Amino acid sequence: MSTWQVVRVPDPGQWGPLPQEGVLGVRDLPAAVAGIGLKPGDPVFVRPSGMVDADLLDFVRSSTFRKRERETKRNYSTDIRLLLDFLSSRDVEWRQATQQDLEDFRDWRCDAPENPEQIGGSKWNREAAAFTKLFKWGKVQPLPVDVSLPEDRAADSVSSRVSWLTPRTWGLWSDIGLRGHTRGGLPAPGWDSRTEIRNTGFVQLLLSSALRRQEGGSLLVFELPTRRLRHGRYCHGSVAGAVTRSKNSRVFYASVEAVGQVEAYIESERAWAIARAQSAGRYERLAQMRLITRVTDGLKPKVEWADRNGVVGGREISRLSWRERQSLFLEGPEGPEPAYLWLTEQGLPMPPERWNGVFRTANQRCERVLLTEEERKITRHLRLGEVRSKSPYATPHSTRHSAALYLLIVLNQLMETRYGLTQAERRDFALLFGDPWWLVKTILGHADVETTKRHYLAPVAHLQLDSILAMADTADDRDGQVEDLNDVFARLARETAGIQDIDALLGQVAR
């Protein structure tokens, strides 16, 4: 082993078979790991020699690190491992690292032409934050890097992986990538559609609500919004603070059509997966099961449960992490079934990060259908722009960016055309309710509207909203309004970078 490795503490019941004689002289490894204060998901740094680094083990157990969210711990440990490898190549221990070492590492990560996997500003800032915490904990002086200093942060921190898709391009991506359609719009022979309803329902819910992957991916079945807004096409629900980035609960809105697709999933694919899991006895073999006995109402709804040993407990729904939600079950007609909304084919709760694989598979299918064999041989980030533009590419976070862009356009169209506000009336409306930027920021749950503009709506942040709608004709009928929005998005895709639209992908495609 010539590089540093990171081994993560397994979850309870996920250790797999352990030798009876123990591991490295330890008879009960899970108990020993818990006894020294390590939690599931915590990283253990292994030196190139194969020995566990005791110094970094202390760092992982320190208050500096252990207070981080599990996903943050995973990201930070991955970043730190890369730095350790770089320093090892120079025979430098991390406590002896200098500012020059970190400057060289930053140059390699961000700017070196010979590095085929350069990173952007957002990724560097995250890595710098991880390194700063490590060096401060280790009392390394002077600090080799300090993320609080402007010179150690990237000036442009907008992620290079951000992508916006227009509504009709999402339709193309979903049809080909998730529904298995051919370029001609027909189902492909032999298409495996076992999770089609689940996958399309998840994407439509995120596109409609602008929820993050973890927020939408950790919903419980009874959190799916069913309360319809008066005279509207939207339902509203609440996303729990424990699964949000800000740790604050907030209201979210989802279209009736998107909620209907998720309900179709509940009644079909999800029900079949549960039936198969019950028949195979999978739920009986789970390490932990909490059977919900009651869900309270009120301002702070609470879920109460009893485990297999009869031990009762409860917690506010807003404080349940996505991992805690995976152990919650409801009593169904054929026995216990998960309260977690999104399930795998095996009927088990689907971790939010698994959606990355669903999107990756859909992207690959779009490439197989829309690109030639020669074009596919070149990895995406090395392809020419004209080749990349032939096939839509999406990530779970693309849904949030795209939803924000759609909301901005629709809100402005309402204010400019449907409401017919004059400039003075629009100023009054903005004073009372906020302008469209502020409304989109509220729906996304951002604390600062500048975050909305810079990170989520960067392609249009520099444009005057009047110019966005300048070429959009008005129409009284609903179909006309949909066509007007398509024209607006097509124009934006032509005039700004980063927005994927069908016109640019396939030319004038009839849909």
Side-chain angles (χ1 to χ4, degrees):
M1 184 170 62
S2 59
T3 61
W4 284 78
Q5 301 295 322
V6 174
V7 180
R8 306 188 192 284
V9 178
D11 287 300
Q14 301 297 318
W15 282 82
L18 295 172
Q20 291 184 352
E21 64 274 16
V23 179
L24 300 177
V26 180
R27 295 298 300 270
D28 189 347
L29 186 59
V33 168
I36 62 174
L38 290 176
K39 298 180 180 180
D42 278 353
V44 177
F45 291 89
V46 181
R47 300 180 67 89
S49 63
M51 299 296 293
V52 172
D53 190 286
D55 205 13
L56 291 173
L57 191 62
D58 288 340
F59 170 67
V60 170
R61 294 184 295 171
S62 70
S63 59
T64 299
F65 191 85
R66 69 183 297 121
K67 291 180 180 179
R68 307 292 128 190
E69 292 292 328
R70 181 163 173 168
E71 188 67 19
T72 302
K73 291 180 180 180
R74 170 179 287 275
N75 292 335
Y76 278 12
S77 59
T78 301
D79 298 339
I80 290 172
R81 186 190 71 80
L82 292 174
L83 176 63
L84 293 172
D85 273 341
F86 178 81
L87 294 174
S88 290
S89 70
R90 297 184 165 194
D91 293 326
V92 174
E93 292 291 326
W94 69 267
R95 285 186 179 276
Q96 279 70 54
T98 65
Q99 293 175 344
Q100 185 63 54
D101 289 323
L102 269 294
E103 288 175 6
D104 292 344
F105 181 69
R106 177 180 178 177
D107 179 72
W108 166 257
R109 293 288 283 154
C110 301
D111 302 314
E114 61 271 24
N115 180 6
E117 299 181 354
Q118 294 178 11
I119 61 174
S122 292
K123 181 66 167 63
W124 169 254
N125 287 345
R126 191 191 81 182
E127 293 187 4
F131 306 151
T132 302
K133 291 186 183 300
L134 173 63
F135 290 129
K136 282 188 174 180
W137 174 83
K139 296 182 172 58
V140 178
Q141 293 295 333
L143 280 177
V145 63
D146 187 349
V147 74
S148 66
L149 299 178
E151 57 266 30
D152 285 344
R153 291 181 60 85
D156 180 10
S157 62
V158 178
S159 174
S160 60
R161 295 178 294 175
V162 168
S163 58
W164 293 260
L165 283 71
T166 64
R168 58 182 180 176
T169 307
W170 274 111
L172 175 70
W173 182 87
S174 296
D175 285 345
I176 295 178
L178 300 180
R179 296 189 175 95
H181 288 186
T182 65
R183 185 169 184 148
L186 300 175
W191 169 248
D192 184 357
S193 61
R194 289 176 299 178
T195 58
E196 179 181 318
I197 302 176
R198 181 198 69 185
N199 296 343
T200 54
F202 178 79
V203 170
Q204 288 304 312
L205 179 65
L206 263 59
L207 279 172
S208 170
S209 63
L211 291 174
R212 293 184 177 90
R213 180 197 66 184
Q214 181 168 289
E215 294 169 350
S218 59
L219 290 173
L220 303 174
V221 287
F222 50 79
E223 290 180 308
L224 184 67
T226 56
R227 185 175 301 175
R228 188 166 178 170
L229 295 176
R230 185 179 180 185
H231 307 307
R233 294 175 46 249
Y234 280 78
C235 302
H236 67 90
S238 177
V239 59
V243 301
T244 68
R245 185 167 295 174
S246 66
K247 301 308 172 189
N248 294 318
S249 300
R250 73 174 189 277
V251 174
F252 73 94
Y253 303 90
S255 70
V256 173
E257 291 82 359
V259 171
Q261 288 193 49
V262 179
E263 290 175 339
Y265 157 67
I266 293 174
E267 296 171 1
S268 56
E269 288 178 358
R270 187 178 187 276
W272 301 331
I274 289 173
R276 291 194 298 269
Q278 290 173 333
S279 177
R282 292 193 185 101
Y283 300 146
E284 299 170 5
R285 297 193 294 271
L286 292 176
Q288 186 179 56
M289 175 188 288
R290 291 171 169 175
L291 190 63
I292 294 176
T293 57
R294 183 186 175 208
V295 180
T296 67
D297 296 321
L299 294 176
K300 296 182 178 180
K302 182 180 179 181
V303 61
E304 299 174 355
W305 64 72
D307 66 14
R308 284 199 178 99
N309 298 320
V311 178
V312 299
R315 198 165 191 184
E316 289 181 19
I317 295 177
S318 65
R319 297 178 61 191
L320 288 169
S321 70
W322 72 265
R323 294 185 182 277
E324 292 174 311
R325 290 160 173 261
Q326 291 193 324
S327 66
L328 296 178
F329 280 70
L330 295 165
E331 188 63 57
E334 302 298 329
E337 54 188 53
Y340 205 82
L341 175 57
W342 306 103
L343 306 180
T344 65
E345 288 186 75
Q346 291 72 40
L348 300 174
M350 184 169 172
E353 63 266 19
R354 286 277 296 275
W355 288 108
N356 291 354
V358 173
F359 277 72
R360 182 167 54 251
T361 301
N363 290 330
Q364 292 169 348
R365 172 160 179 78
C366 286
E367 291 182 351
R368 289 196 300 271
V369 172
L370 300 173
L371 299 182
T372 66
E373 184 176 353
E374 288 299 315
E375 290 169 338
R376 294 197 303 271
K377 288 181 180 179
I378 305 173
T379 57
R380 187 175 189 276
H381 71 280
L382 294 178
R383 292 173 189 157
L384 296 175
E386 61 186 44
V387 176
R388 285 201 304 269
S389 67
K390 290 182 180 180
S391 178
Y393 177 86
T395 66
H397 216 59
S398 299
T399 61
R400 186 163 160 87
H401 287 84
S402 300
L405 182 62
Y406 181 77
L407 284 168
L408 178 70
I409 301 302
V410 169
L411 286 169
N412 276 279
Q413 190 189 52
L414 287 173
M415 295 180 70
E416 294 285 351
T417 61
R418 181 173 295 182
Y419 293 159
L421 299 181
T422 66
Q423 189 170 1
E425 289 171 335
R426 178 165 178 161
R427 285 197 300 268
D428 292 340
F429 184 93
L431 288 173
L432 288 172
F433 305 107
D435 64 14
W437 290 105
W438 187 89
L439 292 171
V440 173
K441 162 253 181 190
T442 302
I443 290 173
L444 292 175
H446 290 158
D448 184 0
V449 73
E450 292 304 316
T451 300
T452 308
K453 291 182 178 181
R454 178 167 181 171
H455 293 276
Y456 286 78
L457 297 168
V460 295
H462 66 288
L463 299 178
Q464 292 295 324
L465 297 177
D466 290 343
S467 68
I468 292 178
L469 298 170
M471 294 181 63
D473 297 325
T474 58
D476 293 330
D477 61 289
R478 183 183 172 194
D479 290 339
Q481 291 173 12
V482 172
E483 289 300 316
D484 292 341
L485 286 179
N486 284 337
D487 291 341
V488 173
F489 280 114
R491 176 173 172 265
L492 282 175
R494 290 193 301 268
E495 297 184 359
T496 58
I499 301 177
Q500 302 175 52
D501 187 62
I502 285 178
D503 282 351
L505 294 169
L506 300 176
Q508 296 295 331
V509 178
R511 293 188 57 79

